[in-house]
Amino acid sequence: MTSSRTPAPDAAPASPAESALDPAIAARLKRGADGLVPAIAQQYDTGEVLMLGWMDDEALHRTLTTGRCTYWSRSRQEYWVKGDTSGHIQLVKSVALDCDADTVLIQVDQVGAACHTGDRTCFDADVLATEQGRDQ
């Protein structure tokens, strides 16, 4: 399977000016100092939270225009399309910004595991204990 991983020319996320993202959307985004926004992938029909990735303007543009989730890898410093190497693709159903425009919610149809460990979600393996009987 061919990879759609594309290193950025300067090994950093694209600046808003370098992206083809709709300027009206780009103007609304509140990015971190690194130019990224958290992107939560959620199974569209069950509401199951699958994973958290990071997007810059170009990754969001690619996600909106291709129908496949594209993320920015902070460790590899490159774009990656979910499932290009594993076959565990995310087909985009909808994309929304939260009320502060600092987080993206992508509702997807997840094919296969969402987590790189092979688990269905990135939140399956390490559930933290909760306090029982705690006053709310």
Side-chain angles (χ1 to χ4, degrees):
M1 198 175 264
T2 14
S3 174
S4 291
R5 292 180 178 169
T6 308
D10 58 0
S15 74
E18 297 169 335
S19 173
L21 182 63
D22 180 328
I25 297 171
R28 294 176 58 201
L29 282 178
K30 293 181 184 159
R31 302 160 197 81
D34 56 5
L36 301 173
V37 294
I40 300 165
Q42 178 183 44
Q43 180 63 35
Y44 82 100
D45 55 353
T46 66
E48 182 179 35
V49 176
L50 300 169
M51 60 170 279
L52 170 71
W54 296 91
M55 291 185 171
D56 66 354
D57 290 37
E58 182 60 23
L60 181 55
H61 167 71
R62 293 179 190 188
T63 297
L64 290 168
T65 58
T66 66
R68 299 262 316 273
C69 287
T70 299
Y71 299 99
W72 175 259
S73 170
R74 296 180 303 166
S75 59
R76 293 187 308 269
Q77 295 289 293
E78 63 185 10
Y79 295 105
W80 58 280
V81 178
K82 181 67 176 164
D84 269 3
T85 56
S86 67
H88 300 162
I89 63 173
Q90 292 176 339
L91 301 171
V92 176
K93 297 295 187 176
S94 70
V95 179
L97 290 176
D98 76 338
C99 57
D100 296 320
D102 63 359
T103 302
V104 177
L105 175 65
I106 308 147
Q107 291 195 321
V108 302
D109 189 7
Q110 177 70 49
V111 177
C115 188
H116 71 281
T117 64
D119 286 335
R120 168 76 181 157
T121 84
C122 292
F123 302 98
D124 285 345
D126 196 10
V127 177
L128 303 177
T130 59
E131 291 184 39
Q132 297 298 316
R134 183 177 173 187
D135 290 334
Q136 298 294 328

